[in-house]
Short mmCIF file of all heavy atoms in Angstrom, two decimals:
data_model
loop_
_atom_site.label_atom_id
_atom_site.label_comp_id
_atom_site.label_asym_id
_atom_site.label_seq_id
_atom_site.Cartn_x
_atom_site.Cartn_y
_atom_site.Cartn_z
N ILE A 28 1.21 6.50 0.41
CA ILE A 28 0.03 6.35 1.27
C ILE A 28 0.05 7.42 2.36
O ILE A 28 -0.97 8.04 2.66
CB ILE A 28 -0.05 4.94 1.88
CG1 ILE A 28 -0.37 3.92 0.80
CG2 ILE A 28 -1.08 4.89 3.00
CD1 ILE A 28 -0.28 2.47 1.26
N GLU A 29 1.22 7.65 2.96
CA GLU A 29 1.31 8.66 4.02
C GLU A 29 0.94 10.04 3.49
O GLU A 29 0.21 10.79 4.15
CB GLU A 29 2.70 8.67 4.62
CG GLU A 29 2.79 9.56 5.85
CD GLU A 29 4.08 9.36 6.63
OE1 GLU A 29 4.98 8.64 6.18
OE2 GLU A 29 4.17 9.94 7.72
N LYS A 30 1.40 10.39 2.30
CA LYS A 30 1.04 11.68 1.71
C LYS A 30 -0.45 11.77 1.47
O LYS A 30 -1.06 12.82 1.71
CB LYS A 30 1.82 11.91 0.42
CG LYS A 30 3.28 12.19 0.67
CD LYS A 30 4.05 12.38 -0.61
CE LYS A 30 5.52 12.62 -0.29
NZ LYS A 30 6.34 12.86 -1.45
N ALA A 31 -1.06 10.69 1.00
CA ALA A 31 -2.51 10.68 0.78
C ALA A 31 -3.27 10.78 2.11
O ALA A 31 -4.28 11.49 2.19
CB ALA A 31 -2.92 9.43 0.02
N LEU A 32 -2.78 10.11 3.14
CA LEU A 32 -3.40 10.22 4.47
C LEU A 32 -3.34 11.65 4.99
O LEU A 32 -4.31 12.16 5.54
CB LEU A 32 -2.73 9.26 5.46
CG LEU A 32 -3.05 7.77 5.30
CD1 LEU A 32 -2.07 6.94 6.11
CD2 LEU A 32 -4.48 7.48 5.71
N HIS A 33 -2.21 12.30 4.79
CA HIS A 33 -2.07 13.69 5.21
C HIS A 33 -3.01 14.60 4.41
O HIS A 33 -3.64 15.49 4.97
CB HIS A 33 -0.63 14.18 5.06
CG HIS A 33 0.27 13.75 6.17
ND1 HIS A 33 0.17 14.22 7.46
CD2 HIS A 33 1.29 12.87 6.17
CE1 HIS A 33 1.07 13.66 8.22
NE2 HIS A 33 1.78 12.82 7.46
N ALA A 34 -3.08 14.37 3.11
CA ALA A 34 -3.91 15.21 2.24
C ALA A 34 -5.39 15.15 2.62
O ALA A 34 -6.12 16.13 2.47
CB ALA A 34 -3.74 14.80 0.78
N THR A 35 -5.81 13.99 3.12
CA THR A 35 -7.22 13.82 3.51
C THR A 35 -7.43 13.97 5.01
O THR A 35 -8.53 13.74 5.50
CB THR A 35 -7.73 12.45 3.06
OG1 THR A 35 -6.91 11.43 3.63
CG2 THR A 35 -7.74 12.34 1.55
N GLN A 36 -6.38 14.32 5.71
CA GLN A 36 -6.41 14.51 7.16
C GLN A 36 -6.92 13.26 7.88
O GLN A 36 -7.60 13.34 8.88
CB GLN A 36 -7.25 15.74 7.53
CG GLN A 36 -6.67 17.01 6.93
CD GLN A 36 -7.52 18.22 7.18
OE1 GLN A 36 -8.70 18.14 7.51
NE2 GLN A 36 -6.91 19.39 7.03
N GLN A 37 -6.54 12.10 7.35
CA GLN A 37 -6.89 10.83 7.98
C GLN A 37 -5.66 10.15 8.57
O GLN A 37 -5.68 8.96 8.85
CB GLN A 37 -7.56 9.90 6.96
CG GLN A 37 -8.90 10.41 6.49
CD GLN A 37 -9.59 9.42 5.58
OE1 GLN A 37 -9.12 9.11 4.50
NE2 GLN A 37 -10.72 8.91 6.04
N VAL A 38 -4.61 10.92 8.76
CA VAL A 38 -3.36 10.35 9.25
C VAL A 38 -3.39 10.22 10.76
O VAL A 38 -3.92 11.08 11.46
CB VAL A 38 -2.14 11.17 8.79
CG1 VAL A 38 -2.12 12.54 9.43
CG2 VAL A 38 -0.87 10.44 9.05
N GLU A 39 -2.87 9.11 11.22
CA GLU A 39 -2.69 8.93 12.65
C GLU A 39 -1.20 9.03 12.96
O GLU A 39 -0.79 9.75 13.85
CB GLU A 39 -3.28 7.59 13.10
CG GLU A 39 -4.79 7.56 12.97
CD GLU A 39 -5.35 6.17 13.12
OE1 GLU A 39 -4.65 5.26 13.57
OE2 GLU A 39 -6.53 6.00 12.77
N ASP A 40 -0.41 8.31 12.20
CA ASP A 40 1.04 8.39 12.29
C ASP A 40 1.62 7.63 11.10
O ASP A 40 0.90 6.96 10.37
CB ASP A 40 1.58 7.83 13.61
CG ASP A 40 1.22 6.37 13.84
OD1 ASP A 40 1.16 5.61 12.86
OD2 ASP A 40 0.99 6.00 14.99
N GLY A 41 2.92 7.72 10.90
CA GLY A 41 3.57 7.03 9.79
C GLY A 41 3.46 5.52 9.89
O GLY A 41 3.58 4.82 8.89
N GLY A 42 3.21 5.03 11.09
CA GLY A 42 3.08 3.59 11.28
C GLY A 42 1.91 3.01 10.53
O GLY A 42 1.98 1.89 10.02
N ARG A 43 0.84 3.76 10.43
CA ARG A 43 -0.33 3.27 9.71
C ARG A 43 -0.01 3.11 8.22
O ARG A 43 -0.38 2.12 7.61
CB ARG A 43 -1.52 4.21 9.90
CG ARG A 43 -2.79 3.67 9.29
CD ARG A 43 -3.99 4.46 9.69
NE ARG A 43 -5.20 3.71 9.39
CZ ARG A 43 -6.40 4.20 9.44
NH1 ARG A 43 -6.59 5.46 9.82
NH2 ARG A 43 -7.45 3.47 9.14
N ALA A 44 0.68 4.08 7.65
CA ALA A 44 1.05 4.00 6.24
C ALA A 44 1.97 2.81 6.00
O ALA A 44 1.81 2.07 5.02
CB ALA A 44 1.72 5.30 5.79
N ARG A 45 2.92 2.57 6.91
CA ARG A 45 3.83 1.44 6.76
C ARG A 45 3.07 0.11 6.87
O ARG A 45 3.34 -0.83 6.13
CB ARG A 45 4.96 1.51 7.76
CG ARG A 45 5.97 2.61 7.43
CD ARG A 45 7.19 2.57 8.33
NE ARG A 45 6.88 2.74 9.75
CZ ARG A 45 6.72 3.92 10.35
NH1 ARG A 45 6.84 5.04 9.66
NH2 ARG A 45 6.46 3.98 11.64
N ALA A 46 2.13 0.04 7.80
CA ALA A 46 1.34 -1.19 7.97
C ALA A 46 0.49 -1.46 6.73
O ALA A 46 0.39 -2.61 6.27
CB ALA A 46 0.46 -1.08 9.21
N LEU A 47 -0.13 -0.42 6.19
CA LEU A 47 -0.93 -0.58 4.97
C LEU A 47 -0.04 -1.00 3.79
O LEU A 47 -0.42 -1.88 3.01
CB LEU A 47 -1.68 0.71 4.65
CG LEU A 47 -2.82 1.06 5.62
CD1 LEU A 47 -3.25 2.51 5.45
CD2 LEU A 47 -3.99 0.11 5.44
N ALA A 48 1.12 -0.39 3.68
CA ALA A 48 2.05 -0.74 2.60
C ALA A 48 2.51 -2.19 2.73
O ALA A 48 2.67 -2.89 1.72
CB ALA A 48 3.25 0.20 2.59
N ALA A 49 2.69 -2.67 3.95
CA ALA A 49 3.09 -4.07 4.16
C ALA A 49 1.98 -5.00 3.69
O ALA A 49 2.26 -6.04 3.08
CB ALA A 49 3.41 -4.30 5.64
N GLN A 50 0.73 -4.63 3.95
CA GLN A 50 -0.39 -5.44 3.48
C GLN A 50 -0.44 -5.46 1.95
O GLN A 50 -0.70 -6.50 1.34
CB GLN A 50 -1.71 -4.91 4.03
CG GLN A 50 -1.87 -5.15 5.51
CD GLN A 50 -3.18 -4.60 6.04
OE1 GLN A 50 -4.13 -4.41 5.29
NE2 GLN A 50 -3.23 -4.35 7.34
N VAL A 51 -0.18 -4.31 1.35
CA VAL A 51 -0.13 -4.23 -0.12
C VAL A 51 0.96 -5.14 -0.65
O VAL A 51 0.75 -5.89 -1.62
CB VAL A 51 0.08 -2.76 -0.58
CG1 VAL A 51 0.40 -2.70 -2.07
CG2 VAL A 51 -1.13 -1.91 -0.25
N ALA A 52 2.13 -5.10 -0.04
CA ALA A 52 3.25 -5.93 -0.50
C ALA A 52 2.90 -7.42 -0.44
O ALA A 52 3.25 -8.18 -1.36
CB ALA A 52 4.50 -5.64 0.32
N VAL A 53 2.20 -7.84 0.60
CA VAL A 53 1.78 -9.24 0.72
C VAL A 53 0.82 -9.59 -0.41
O VAL A 53 0.95 -10.64 -1.06
CB VAL A 53 1.14 -9.51 2.10
CG1 VAL A 53 0.44 -10.86 2.12
CG2 VAL A 53 2.19 -9.44 3.20
N LYS A 54 -0.14 -8.72 -0.67
CA LYS A 54 -1.11 -8.99 -1.75
C LYS A 54 -0.42 -9.04 -3.11
O LYS A 54 -0.75 -9.88 -3.94
CB LYS A 54 -2.20 -7.91 -1.76
CG LYS A 54 -3.16 -8.00 -0.60
CD LYS A 54 -4.18 -6.88 -0.68
CE LYS A 54 -5.12 -6.91 0.50
NZ LYS A 54 -6.13 -5.84 0.42
N VAL A 55 0.52 -8.13 -3.34
CA VAL A 55 1.25 -8.13 -4.61
C VAL A 55 2.00 -9.45 -4.77
O VAL A 55 1.96 -10.09 -5.83
CB VAL A 55 2.21 -6.92 -4.70
CG1 VAL A 55 3.14 -7.04 -5.91
CG2 VAL A 55 1.42 -5.61 -4.77
N LYS A 56 2.67 -9.87 -3.71
CA LYS A 56 3.42 -11.13 -3.75
C LYS A 56 2.50 -12.31 -4.04
O LYS A 56 2.83 -13.17 -4.85
CB LYS A 56 4.14 -11.33 -2.41
CG LYS A 56 4.97 -12.57 -2.34
CD LYS A 56 5.68 -12.68 -1.00
CE LYS A 56 6.44 -13.98 -0.89
NZ LYS A 56 7.10 -14.14 0.41
N GLN A 57 1.33 -12.33 -3.42
CA GLN A 57 0.39 -13.43 -3.63
C GLN A 57 -0.17 -13.44 -5.05
O GLN A 57 -0.30 -14.49 -5.66
CB GLN A 57 -0.77 -13.33 -2.62
CG GLN A 57 -0.36 -13.62 -1.21
CD GLN A 57 -1.45 -13.29 -0.20
OE1 GLN A 57 -2.40 -12.56 -0.49
NE2 GLN A 57 -1.31 -13.81 1.01
N ARG A 58 -0.50 -12.27 -5.56
CA ARG A 58 -1.17 -12.20 -6.87
C ARG A 58 -0.22 -12.28 -8.05
O ARG A 58 -0.63 -12.65 -9.15
CB ARG A 58 -1.98 -10.90 -6.96
CG ARG A 58 -3.14 -10.90 -6.00
CD ARG A 58 -3.94 -9.65 -6.12
NE ARG A 58 -4.85 -9.54 -4.99
CZ ARG A 58 -5.65 -8.53 -4.78
NH1 ARG A 58 -5.68 -7.52 -5.63
NH2 ARG A 58 -6.43 -8.50 -3.71
N PHE A 59 1.04 -11.92 -7.84
CA PHE A 59 1.97 -11.84 -8.97
C PHE A 59 3.19 -12.73 -8.79
O PHE A 59 4.24 -12.46 -9.36
CB PHE A 59 2.39 -10.38 -9.21
CG PHE A 59 1.25 -9.55 -9.69
CD1 PHE A 59 0.48 -8.84 -8.79
CD2 PHE A 59 0.93 -9.49 -11.03
CE1 PHE A 59 -0.60 -8.08 -9.21
CE2 PHE A 59 -0.15 -8.73 -11.47
CZ PHE A 59 -0.91 -8.03 -10.56
N ALA A 60 3.04 -13.79 -8.04
CA ALA A 60 4.15 -14.72 -7.81
C ALA A 60 4.72 -15.18 -9.14
O ALA A 60 4.00 -15.68 -10.00
CB ALA A 60 3.67 -15.92 -7.00
N GLY A 61 6.01 -14.95 -9.32
CA GLY A 61 6.67 -15.38 -10.54
C GLY A 61 6.48 -14.47 -11.73
O GLY A 61 6.97 -14.74 -12.81
N ARG A 62 5.74 -13.37 -11.55
CA ARG A 62 5.50 -12.42 -12.64
C ARG A 62 5.87 -11.02 -12.16
O ARG A 62 5.91 -10.75 -10.97
CB ARG A 62 4.03 -12.41 -13.06
CG ARG A 62 3.55 -13.75 -13.58
CD ARG A 62 2.10 -13.70 -14.00
NE ARG A 62 1.24 -13.54 -12.83
CZ ARG A 62 0.13 -12.80 -12.81
NH1 ARG A 62 -0.26 -12.16 -13.88
NH2 ARG A 62 -0.59 -12.72 -11.72
N VAL A 63 6.09 -10.14 -13.10
CA VAL A 63 6.40 -8.74 -12.79
C VAL A 63 5.11 -7.93 -12.88
O VAL A 63 4.50 -7.85 -13.95
CB VAL A 63 7.46 -8.17 -13.76
CG1 VAL A 63 7.70 -6.69 -13.48
CG2 VAL A 63 8.76 -8.96 -13.66
N PRO A 64 4.67 -7.33 -11.77
CA PRO A 64 3.46 -6.51 -11.83
C PRO A 64 3.73 -5.16 -12.50
O PRO A 64 4.86 -4.67 -12.50
CB PRO A 64 3.10 -6.32 -10.36
CG PRO A 64 4.39 -6.40 -9.65
CD PRO A 64 5.23 -7.39 -10.43
N HIS A 65 2.70 -4.60 -13.07
CA HIS A 65 2.77 -3.25 -13.62
C HIS A 65 2.46 -2.27 -12.49
O HIS A 65 1.78 -2.61 -11.52
CB HIS A 65 1.75 -3.07 -14.74
CG HIS A 65 2.09 -3.84 -15.97
ND1 HIS A 65 2.71 -3.29 -17.06
CD2 HIS A 65 1.90 -5.16 -16.28
CE1 HIS A 65 2.88 -4.21 -17.98
NE2 HIS A 65 2.41 -5.36 -17.52
N ALA A 66 2.93 -1.05 -12.63
CA ALA A 66 2.67 -0.02 -11.63
C ALA A 66 1.17 0.14 -11.38
O ALA A 66 0.73 0.31 -10.24
CB ALA A 66 3.29 1.31 -12.07
N GLU A 67 0.38 0.05 -12.45
CA GLU A 67 -1.08 0.20 -12.32
C GLU A 67 -1.68 -0.93 -11.49
O GLU A 67 -2.64 -0.71 -10.75
CB GLU A 67 -1.76 0.27 -13.68
CG GLU A 67 -1.47 1.54 -14.46
CD GLU A 67 -0.13 1.49 -15.21
OE1 GLU A 67 0.53 0.42 -15.24
OE2 GLU A 67 0.26 2.53 -15.74
N ASP A 68 -1.12 -2.13 -11.61
CA ASP A 68 -1.59 -3.26 -10.80
C ASP A 68 -1.40 -2.97 -9.32
O ASP A 68 -2.28 -3.21 -8.49
CB ASP A 68 -0.83 -4.55 -11.16
CG ASP A 68 -1.05 -5.00 -12.59
OD1 ASP A 68 -2.19 -4.88 -13.10
OD2 ASP A 68 -0.07 -5.49 -13.20
#
């Protein structure tokens, strides 16, 4: 995410990428509880 933010010049700091990744991790946990998600998911 941080690399993509830099590529589009929408980066504020690494904290934003970490916060977004944390939100993604929560969603993955909620949607795939007890299952293994695929990279594409």
Side-chain angles (χ1 to χ4, degrees):
I28 290 172
E29 188 168 7
K30 288 179 182 182
L32 286 166
H33 280 292
T35 57
Q36 299 176 342
Q37 293 185 296
V38 68
E39 293 168 14
D40 60 34
R43 186 169 195 191
R45 288 188 299 276
L47 290 165
Q50 290 180 22
V51 169
V53 168
K54 289 179 182 181
V55 170
K56 181 178 176 182
Q57 290 170 343
R58 293 182 193 177
F59 293 93
R62 298 181 292 143
V63 176
H65 290 262
E67 291 82 7
D68 297 322

